[in-house]
């Protein structure tokens, strides 16, 4: 049952919307104490969010058509994830008054690249 949930297109859509909602959250709603006060933890969160984006969309594609879920799909998902991260950084800056952070974009791209690399190994098996 968990495998079906992970491979569902709806799970990938929900993850994409979750990223959007987290990115547009007003700065005064973001906790900065306790676990959330750890310096640069937000970069790890960005890596997980955008790595998860690539992974979940790839898994949903794998579920719908195993023959076309290859390295080309992964490359496109990586690019979409990177662009989504860049666009969301602008969106949060202009619409929520949060700071534009180039390092958040770098973390988004690293997360997407790590998922791409890991899934590339998965495809080869």
């Amino acid at each position: 049952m968990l495998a079906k949930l992970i491979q569902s297109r709806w799970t990938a859509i929900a993850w994409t919307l979750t990223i959007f909602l987290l990115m547009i959250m007003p700065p005064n709603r973001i906790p900065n104490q306790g676990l959330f006060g750890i310096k640069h933890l937000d970069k790890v969160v960005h890596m997980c969010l955008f790595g998860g984006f690539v992974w979940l969309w790839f898994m949903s594609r794998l579920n719908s058509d195993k023959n076309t879920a290859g390295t080309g799909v992964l490359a496109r998902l990586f690019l979409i994830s990177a662009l989504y991260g860049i666009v969301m950084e602008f969106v949060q800056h202009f619409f929520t008054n949060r700071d534009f952070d180039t390092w958040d974009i770098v973390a988004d791209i690293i997360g997407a690249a790590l998922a791409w690399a890991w899934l590339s190994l998965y495809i080869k098996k």
Side-chain angles (χ1 to χ4, degrees), residues 80-109:
I80 292 167
S81 180
L83 288 172
Y84 187 38
I86 292 167
V87 167
M88 287 311 302
E89 203 60 36
F90 281 101
V91 166
Q92 76 178 15
H93 177 69
F94 290 111
F95 296 104
T96 67
N97 202 26
R98 286 172 57 179
D99 292 335
F100 183 91
D101 189 349
T102 305
W103 290 109
D104 284 350
I105 294 172
V106 171
D108 299 342
I109 292 170

PDB file of all heavy atoms in Angstrom, residues 80-109:
ATOM      1  N   ILE A  80      13.087  20.811 -14.228  1.00  0.00           N
ATOM      2  CA  ILE A  80      11.828  21.367 -13.721  1.00  0.00           C
ATOM      3  C   ILE A  80      11.964  21.707 -12.248  1.00  0.00           C
ATOM      4  O   ILE A  80      11.528  22.777 -11.802  1.00  0.00           O
ATOM      5  CB  ILE A  80      10.657  20.387 -13.970  1.00  0.00           C
ATOM      6  CG1 ILE A  80      10.366  20.276 -15.463  1.00  0.00           C
ATOM      7  CG2 ILE A  80       9.406  20.812 -13.200  1.00  0.00           C
ATOM      8  CD1 ILE A  80       9.459  19.113 -15.831  1.00  0.00           C
ATOM      9  N   SER A  81      12.582  20.827 -11.488  1.00  0.00           N
ATOM     10  CA  SER A  81      12.768  21.056 -10.063  1.00  0.00           C
ATOM     11  C   SER A  81      13.650  22.283  -9.825  1.00  0.00           C
ATOM     12  O   SER A  81      13.342  23.128  -8.975  1.00  0.00           O
ATOM     13  CB  SER A  81      13.397  19.822  -9.411  1.00  0.00           C
ATOM     14  OG  SER A  81      13.573  20.026  -8.032  1.00  0.00           O
ATOM     15  N   ALA A  82      14.740  22.392 -10.565  1.00  0.00           N
ATOM     16  CA  ALA A  82      15.639  23.542 -10.418  1.00  0.00           C
ATOM     17  C   ALA A  82      14.909  24.834 -10.772  1.00  0.00           C
ATOM     18  O   ALA A  82      15.009  25.839 -10.040  1.00  0.00           O
ATOM     19  CB  ALA A  82      16.877  23.353 -11.292  1.00  0.00           C
ATOM     20  N   LEU A  83      14.169  24.826 -11.866  1.00  0.00           N
ATOM     21  CA  LEU A  83      13.414  26.023 -12.260  1.00  0.00           C
ATOM     22  C   LEU A  83      12.333  26.367 -11.235  1.00  0.00           C
ATOM     23  O   LEU A  83      12.101  27.539 -10.930  1.00  0.00           O
ATOM     24  CB  LEU A  83      12.794  25.820 -13.636  1.00  0.00           C
ATOM     25  CG  LEU A  83      13.775  25.844 -14.802  1.00  0.00           C
ATOM     26  CD1 LEU A  83      13.070  25.443 -16.103  1.00  0.00           C
ATOM     27  CD2 LEU A  83      14.421  27.208 -14.940  1.00  0.00           C
ATOM     28  N   TYR A  84      11.678  25.356 -10.705  1.00  0.00           N
ATOM     29  CA  TYR A  84      10.657  25.565  -9.683  1.00  0.00           C
ATOM     30  C   TYR A  84      11.280  26.232  -8.450  1.00  0.00           C
ATOM     31  O   TYR A  84      10.720  27.173  -7.888  1.00  0.00           O
ATOM     32  CB  TYR A  84       9.993  24.234  -9.333  1.00  0.00           C
ATOM     33  CG  TYR A  84       8.796  24.307  -8.415  1.00  0.00           C
ATOM     34  CD1 TYR A  84       7.868  25.335  -8.506  1.00  0.00           C
ATOM     35  CD2 TYR A  84       8.583  23.320  -7.462  1.00  0.00           C
ATOM     36  CE1 TYR A  84       6.754  25.373  -7.671  1.00  0.00           C
ATOM     37  CE2 TYR A  84       7.472  23.349  -6.628  1.00  0.00           C
ATOM     38  CZ  TYR A  84       6.573  24.388  -6.734  1.00  0.00           C
ATOM     39  OH  TYR A  84       5.479  24.423  -5.910  1.00  0.00           O
ATOM     40  N   GLY A  85      12.452  25.762  -8.055  1.00  0.00           N
ATOM     41  CA  GLY A  85      13.150  26.354  -6.917  1.00  0.00           C
ATOM     42  C   GLY A  85      13.507  27.814  -7.169  1.00  0.00           C
ATOM     43  O   GLY A  85      13.339  28.669  -6.292  1.00  0.00           O
ATOM     44  N   ILE A  86      13.996  28.106  -8.355  1.00  0.00           N
ATOM     45  CA  ILE A  86      14.368  29.484  -8.702  1.00  0.00           C
ATOM     46  C   ILE A  86      13.129  30.375  -8.713  1.00  0.00           C
ATOM     47  O   ILE A  86      13.122  31.460  -8.113  1.00  0.00           O
ATOM     48  CB  ILE A  86      15.096  29.516 -10.065  1.00  0.00           C
ATOM     49  CG1 ILE A  86      16.458  28.830  -9.944  1.00  0.00           C
ATOM     50  CG2 ILE A  86      15.242  30.949 -10.565  1.00  0.00           C
ATOM     51  CD1 ILE A  86      17.124  28.518 -11.276  1.00  0.00           C
ATOM     52  N   VAL A  87      12.077  29.919  -9.382  1.00  0.00           N
ATOM     53  CA  VAL A  87      10.843  30.711  -9.460  1.00  0.00           C
ATOM     54  C   VAL A  87      10.261  30.948  -8.067  1.00  0.00           C
ATOM     55  O   VAL A  87       9.841  32.063  -7.736  1.00  0.00           O
ATOM     56  CB  VAL A  87       9.810  30.019 -10.385  1.00  0.00           C
ATOM     57  CG1 VAL A  87       8.432  30.640 -10.237  1.00  0.00           C
ATOM     58  CG2 VAL A  87      10.279  30.074 -11.826  1.00  0.00           C
ATOM     59  N   MET A  88      10.252  29.918  -7.238  1.00  0.00           N
ATOM     60  CA  MET A  88       9.683  30.061  -5.896  1.00  0.00           C
ATOM     61  C   MET A  88      10.488  31.039  -5.045  1.00  0.00           C
ATOM     62  O   MET A  88       9.920  31.725  -4.190  1.00  0.00           O
ATOM     63  CB  MET A  88       9.562  28.701  -5.207  1.00  0.00           C
ATOM     64  CG  MET A  88       8.451  27.832  -5.761  1.00  0.00           C
ATOM     65  SD  MET A  88       6.846  28.664  -5.929  1.00  0.00           S
ATOM     66  CE  MET A  88       6.528  29.202  -4.262  1.00  0.00           C
ATOM     67  N   GLU A  89      11.769  31.129  -5.273  1.00  0.00           N
ATOM     68  CA  GLU A  89      12.586  32.097  -4.530  1.00  0.00           C
ATOM     69  C   GLU A  89      12.162  33.525  -4.900  1.00  0.00           C
ATOM     70  O   GLU A  89      12.058  34.389  -4.030  1.00  0.00           O
ATOM     71  CB  GLU A  89      14.065  31.854  -4.830  1.00  0.00           C
ATOM     72  CG  GLU A  89      15.000  32.373  -3.785  1.00  0.00           C
ATOM     73  CD  GLU A  89      14.810  31.783  -2.400  1.00  0.00           C
ATOM     74  OE1 GLU A  89      14.483  30.583  -2.254  1.00  0.00           O
ATOM     75  OE2 GLU A  89      14.999  32.545  -1.429  1.00  0.00           O
ATOM     76  N   PHE A  90      11.892  33.755  -6.181  1.00  0.00           N
ATOM     77  CA  PHE A  90      11.393  35.069  -6.604  1.00  0.00           C
ATOM     78  C   PHE A  90       9.988  35.317  -6.057  1.00  0.00           C
ATOM     79  O   PHE A  90       9.682  36.412  -5.590  1.00  0.00           O
ATOM     80  CB  PHE A  90      11.389  35.186  -8.134  1.00  0.00           C
ATOM     81  CG  PHE A  90      12.735  35.486  -8.711  1.00  0.00           C
ATOM     82  CD1 PHE A  90      13.492  34.470  -9.283  1.00  0.00           C
ATOM     83  CD2 PHE A  90      13.257  36.767  -8.681  1.00  0.00           C
ATOM     84  CE1 PHE A  90      14.739  34.737  -9.820  1.00  0.00           C
ATOM     85  CE2 PHE A  90      14.506  37.049  -9.215  1.00  0.00           C
ATOM     86  CZ  PHE A  90      15.247  36.031  -9.781  1.00  0.00           C
ATOM     87  N   VAL A  91       9.128  34.305  -6.128  1.00  0.00           N
ATOM     88  CA  VAL A  91       7.756  34.437  -5.636  1.00  0.00           C
ATOM     89  C   VAL A  91       7.754  34.804  -4.162  1.00  0.00           C
ATOM     90  O   VAL A  91       7.062  35.740  -3.742  1.00  0.00           O
ATOM     91  CB  VAL A  91       6.949  33.135  -5.884  1.00  0.00           C
ATOM     92  CG1 VAL A  91       5.653  33.121  -5.093  1.00  0.00           C
ATOM     93  CG2 VAL A  91       6.675  32.949  -7.365  1.00  0.00           C
ATOM     94  N   GLN A  92       8.540  34.088  -3.374  1.00  0.00           N
ATOM     95  CA  GLN A  92       8.527  34.376  -1.939  1.00  0.00           C
ATOM     96  C   GLN A  92       9.107  35.753  -1.643  1.00  0.00           C
ATOM     97  O   GLN A  92       8.692  36.417  -0.696  1.00  0.00           O
ATOM     98  CB  GLN A  92       9.212  33.281  -1.137  1.00  0.00           C
ATOM     99  CG  GLN A  92      10.706  33.274  -1.183  1.00  0.00           C
ATOM    100  CD  GLN A  92      11.295  32.176  -0.324  1.00  0.00           C
ATOM    101  OE1 GLN A  92      10.611  31.259   0.097  1.00  0.00           O
ATOM    102  NE2 GLN A  92      12.584  32.264  -0.085  1.00  0.00           N
ATOM    103  N   HIS A  93      10.046  36.193  -2.443  1.00  0.00           N
ATOM    104  CA  HIS A  93      10.628  37.513  -2.223  1.00  0.00           C
ATOM    105  C   HIS A  93       9.633  38.626  -2.553  1.00  0.00           C
ATOM    106  O   HIS A  93       9.473  39.571  -1.781  1.00  0.00           O
ATOM    107  CB  HIS A  93      11.898  37.678  -3.063  1.00  0.00           C
ATOM    108  CG  HIS A  93      12.513  39.030  -2.953  1.00  0.00           C
ATOM    109  ND1 HIS A  93      13.116  39.479  -1.802  1.00  0.00           N
ATOM    110  CD2 HIS A  93      12.608  40.037  -3.844  1.00  0.00           C
ATOM    111  CE1 HIS A  93      13.566  40.704  -1.989  1.00  0.00           C
ATOM    112  NE2 HIS A  93      13.267  41.081  -3.225  1.00  0.00           N
ATOM    113  N   PHE A  94       8.963  38.514  -3.673  1.00  0.00           N
ATOM    114  CA  PHE A  94       8.084  39.589  -4.119  1.00  0.00           C
ATOM    115  C   PHE A  94       6.682  39.541  -3.514  1.00  0.00           C
ATOM    116  O   PHE A  94       6.014  40.558  -3.414  1.00  0.00           O
ATOM    117  CB  PHE A  94       7.997  39.612  -5.651  1.00  0.00           C
ATOM    118  CG  PHE A  94       9.271  40.054  -6.292  1.00  0.00           C
ATOM    119  CD1 PHE A  94      10.040  39.160  -7.017  1.00  0.00           C
ATOM    120  CD2 PHE A  94       9.722  41.357  -6.145  1.00  0.00           C
ATOM    121  CE1 PHE A  94      11.229  39.562  -7.608  1.00  0.00           C
ATOM    122  CE2 PHE A  94      10.911  41.775  -6.718  1.00  0.00           C
ATOM    123  CZ  PHE A  94      11.671  40.870  -7.453  1.00  0.00           C
ATOM    124  N   PHE A  95       6.221  38.371  -3.112  1.00  0.00           N
ATOM    125  CA  PHE A  95       4.853  38.265  -2.631  1.00  0.00           C
ATOM    126  C   PHE A  95       4.730  38.043  -1.125  1.00  0.00           C
ATOM    127  O   PHE A  95       3.653  38.210  -0.580  1.00  0.00           O
ATOM    128  CB  PHE A  95       4.106  37.165  -3.383  1.00  0.00           C
ATOM    129  CG  PHE A  95       3.950  37.469  -4.845  1.00  0.00           C
ATOM    130  CD1 PHE A  95       4.737  36.836  -5.789  1.00  0.00           C
ATOM    131  CD2 PHE A  95       3.032  38.411  -5.271  1.00  0.00           C
ATOM    132  CE1 PHE A  95       4.613  37.130  -7.132  1.00  0.00           C
ATOM    133  CE2 PHE A  95       2.896  38.714  -6.617  1.00  0.00           C
ATOM    134  CZ  PHE A  95       3.695  38.075  -7.555  1.00  0.00           C
ATOM    135  N   THR A  96       5.799  37.648  -0.465  1.00  0.00           N
ATOM    136  CA  THR A  96       5.699  37.404   0.981  1.00  0.00           C
ATOM    137  C   THR A  96       6.690  38.235   1.779  1.00  0.00           C
ATOM    138  O   THR A  96       6.762  38.095   2.987  1.00  0.00           O
ATOM    139  CB  THR A  96       5.935  35.913   1.316  1.00  0.00           C
ATOM    140  OG1 THR A  96       7.289  35.583   1.029  1.00  0.00           O
ATOM    141  CG2 THR A  96       4.973  35.022   0.577  1.00  0.00           C
ATOM    142  N   ASN A  97       7.474  39.046   1.101  1.00  0.00           N
ATOM    143  CA  ASN A  97       8.448  39.901   1.764  1.00  0.00           C
ATOM    144  C   ASN A  97       9.532  39.092   2.497  1.00  0.00           C
ATOM    145  O   ASN A  97      10.076  39.530   3.500  1.00  0.00           O
ATOM    146  CB  ASN A  97       7.753  40.871   2.726  1.00  0.00           C
ATOM    147  CG  ASN A  97       8.623  42.075   3.012  1.00  0.00           C
ATOM    148  OD1 ASN A  97       9.467  42.448   2.202  1.00  0.00           O
ATOM    149  ND2 ASN A  97       8.416  42.688   4.165  1.00  0.00           N
ATOM    150  N   ARG A  98       9.784  37.894   2.003  1.00  0.00           N
ATOM    151  CA  ARG A  98      10.900  37.112   2.551  1.00  0.00           C
ATOM    152  C   ARG A  98      12.143  37.420   1.737  1.00  0.00           C
ATOM    153  O   ARG A  98      12.073  37.838   0.588  1.00  0.00           O
ATOM    154  CB  ARG A  98      10.584  35.610   2.480  1.00  0.00           C
ATOM    155  CG  ARG A  98       9.568  35.213   3.531  1.00  0.00           C
ATOM    156  CD  ARG A  98       9.067  33.805   3.397  1.00  0.00           C
ATOM    157  NE  ARG A  98      10.086  32.783   3.415  1.00  0.00           N
ATOM    158  CZ  ARG A  98       9.802  31.489   3.327  1.00  0.00           C
ATOM    159  NH1 ARG A  98       8.562  31.076   3.208  1.00  0.00           N
ATOM    160  NH2 ARG A  98      10.762  30.598   3.334  1.00  0.00           N
ATOM    161  N   ASP A  99      13.294  37.207   2.347  1.00  0.00           N
ATOM    162  CA  ASP A  99      14.552  37.504   1.674  1.00  0.00           C
ATOM    163  C   ASP A  99      14.811  36.543   0.524  1.00  0.00           C
ATOM    164  O   ASP A  99      14.545  35.340   0.633  1.00  0.00           O
ATOM    165  CB  ASP A  99      15.723  37.412   2.664  1.00  0.00           C
ATOM    166  CG  ASP A  99      15.686  38.506   3.705  1.00  0.00           C
ATOM    167  OD1 ASP A  99      15.088  39.568   3.431  1.00  0.00           O
ATOM    168  OD2 ASP A  99      16.248  38.307   4.791  1.00  0.00           O
ATOM    169  N   PHE A 100      15.354  37.080  -0.557  1.00  0.00           N
ATOM    170  CA  PHE A 100      15.814  36.256  -1.670  1.00  0.00           C
ATOM    171  C   PHE A 100      17.154  35.670  -1.248  1.00  0.00           C
ATOM    172  O   PHE A 100      18.052  36.385  -0.833  1.00  0.00           O
ATOM    173  CB  PHE A 100      15.985  37.122  -2.928  1.00  0.00           C
ATOM    174  CG  PHE A 100      16.393  36.336  -4.137  1.00  0.00           C
ATOM    175  CD1 PHE A 100      15.430  35.821  -4.980  1.00  0.00           C
ATOM    176  CD2 PHE A 100      17.731  36.100  -4.417  1.00  0.00           C
ATOM    177  CE1 PHE A 100      15.798  35.091  -6.107  1.00  0.00           C
ATOM    178  CE2 PHE A 100      18.103  35.374  -5.537  1.00  0.00           C
ATOM    179  CZ  PHE A 100      17.134  34.871  -6.381  1.00  0.00           C
ATOM    180  N   ASP A 101      17.291  34.353  -1.319  1.00  0.00           N
ATOM    181  CA  ASP A 101      18.514  33.693  -0.870  1.00  0.00           C
ATOM    182  C   ASP A 101      19.045  32.776  -1.972  1.00  0.00           C
ATOM    183  O   ASP A 101      18.461  31.727  -2.246  1.00  0.00           O
ATOM    184  CB  ASP A 101      18.229  32.898   0.404  1.00  0.00           C
ATOM    185  CG  ASP A 101      19.483  32.360   1.074  1.00  0.00           C
ATOM    186  OD1 ASP A 101      20.576  32.413   0.465  1.00  0.00           O
ATOM    187  OD2 ASP A 101      19.367  31.883   2.212  1.00  0.00           O
ATOM    188  N   THR A 102      20.151  33.190  -2.568  1.00  0.00           N
ATOM    189  CA  THR A 102      20.770  32.393  -3.627  1.00  0.00           C
ATOM    190  C   THR A 102      21.161  31.019  -3.102  1.00  0.00           C
ATOM    191  O   THR A 102      21.091  30.023  -3.829  1.00  0.00           O
ATOM    192  CB  THR A 102      22.005  33.120  -4.187  1.00  0.00           C
ATOM    193  OG1 THR A 102      21.596  34.423  -4.615  1.00  0.00           O
ATOM    194  CG2 THR A 102      22.612  32.376  -5.355  1.00  0.00           C
ATOM    195  N   TRP A 103      21.547  30.933  -1.836  1.00  0.00           N
ATOM    196  CA  TRP A 103      21.945  29.638  -1.264  1.00  0.00           C
ATOM    197  C   TRP A 103      20.767  28.684  -1.140  1.00  0.00           C
ATOM    198  O   TRP A 103      20.947  27.467  -1.161  1.00  0.00           O
ATOM    199  CB  TRP A 103      22.672  29.828   0.063  1.00  0.00           C
ATOM    200  CG  TRP A 103      24.014  30.445  -0.162  1.00  0.00           C
ATOM    201  CD1 TRP A 103      24.402  31.713   0.157  1.00  0.00           C
ATOM    202  CD2 TRP A 103      25.141  29.838  -0.809  1.00  0.00           C
ATOM    203  NE1 TRP A 103      25.693  31.926  -0.252  1.00  0.00           N
ATOM    204  CE2 TRP A 103      26.182  30.791  -0.840  1.00  0.00           C
ATOM    205  CE3 TRP A 103      25.375  28.588  -1.373  1.00  0.00           C
ATOM    206  CZ2 TRP A 103      27.427  30.532  -1.403  1.00  0.00           C
ATOM    207  CZ3 TRP A 103      26.615  28.322  -1.929  1.00  0.00           C
ATOM    208  CH2 TRP A 103      27.626  29.292  -1.937  1.00  0.00           C
ATOM    209  N   ASP A 104      19.559  29.220  -1.019  1.00  0.00           N
ATOM    210  CA  ASP A 104      18.371  28.350  -1.053  1.00  0.00           C
ATOM    211  C   ASP A 104      18.247  27.698  -2.424  1.00  0.00           C
ATOM    212  O   ASP A 104      17.936  26.513  -2.541  1.00  0.00           O
ATOM    213  CB  ASP A 104      17.096  29.134  -0.743  1.00  0.00           C
ATOM    214  CG  ASP A 104      16.935  29.464   0.729  1.00  0.00           C
ATOM    215  OD1 ASP A 104      17.704  28.934   1.551  1.00  0.00           O
ATOM    216  OD2 ASP A 104      16.034  30.254   1.052  1.00  0.00           O
ATOM    217  N   ILE A 105      18.497  28.476  -3.471  1.00  0.00           N
ATOM    218  CA  ILE A 105      18.454  27.941  -4.832  1.00  0.00           C
ATOM    219  C   ILE A 105      19.522  26.868  -5.005  1.00  0.00           C
ATOM    220  O   ILE A 105      19.266  25.805  -5.582  1.00  0.00           O
ATOM    221  CB  ILE A 105      18.624  29.064  -5.874  1.00  0.00           C
ATOM    222  CG1 ILE A 105      17.422  30.002  -5.833  1.00  0.00           C
ATOM    223  CG2 ILE A 105      18.812  28.486  -7.275  1.00  0.00           C
ATOM    224  CD1 ILE A 105      17.569  31.246  -6.684  1.00  0.00           C
ATOM    225  N   VAL A 106      20.715  27.132  -4.486  1.00  0.00           N
ATOM    226  CA  VAL A 106      21.798  26.143  -4.570  1.00  0.00           C
ATOM    227  C   VAL A 106      21.379  24.859  -3.854  1.00  0.00           C
ATOM    228  O   VAL A 106      21.571  23.751  -4.372  1.00  0.00           O
ATOM    229  CB  VAL A 106      23.112  26.707  -3.983  1.00  0.00           C
ATOM    230  CG1 VAL A 106      24.173  25.631  -3.849  1.00  0.00           C
ATOM    231  CG2 VAL A 106      23.624  27.874  -4.833  1.00  0.00           C
ATOM    232  N   ALA A 107      20.764  24.994  -2.680  1.00  0.00           N
ATOM    233  CA  ALA A 107      20.303  23.816  -1.933  1.00  0.00           C
ATOM    234  C   ALA A 107      19.207  23.076  -2.701  1.00  0.00           C
ATOM    235  O   ALA A 107      19.199  21.834  -2.721  1.00  0.00           O
ATOM    236  CB  ALA A 107      19.799  24.236  -0.554  1.00  0.00           C
ATOM    237  N   ASP A 108      18.305  23.814  -3.350  1.00  0.00           N
ATOM    238  CA  ASP A 108      17.258  23.182  -4.169  1.00  0.00           C
ATOM    239  C   ASP A 108      17.890  22.341  -5.279  1.00  0.00           C
ATOM    240  O   ASP A 108      17.494  21.191  -5.516  1.00  0.00           O
ATOM    241  CB  ASP A 108      16.359  24.242  -4.815  1.00  0.00           C
ATOM    242  CG  ASP A 108      15.630  25.123  -3.811  1.00  0.00           C
ATOM    243  OD1 ASP A 108      15.528  24.735  -2.631  1.00  0.00           O
ATOM    244  OD2 ASP A 108      15.165  26.205  -4.219  1.00  0.00           O
ATOM    245  N   ILE A 109      18.865  22.926  -5.947  1.00  0.00           N
ATOM    246  CA  ILE A 109      19.529  22.243  -7.070  1.00  0.00           C
ATOM    247  C   ILE A 109      20.324  21.041  -6.587  1.00  0.00           C
ATOM    248  O   ILE A 109      20.306  19.981  -7.223  1.00  0.00           O
ATOM    249  CB  ILE A 109      20.389  23.239  -7.869  1.00  0.00           C
ATOM    250  CG1 ILE A 109      19.473  24.248  -8.574  1.00  0.00           C
ATOM    251  CG2 ILE A 109      21.298  22.525  -8.855  1.00  0.00           C
ATOM    252  CD1 ILE A 109      20.192  25.430  -9.191  1.00  0.00           C
TER     253      ILE A 109
END
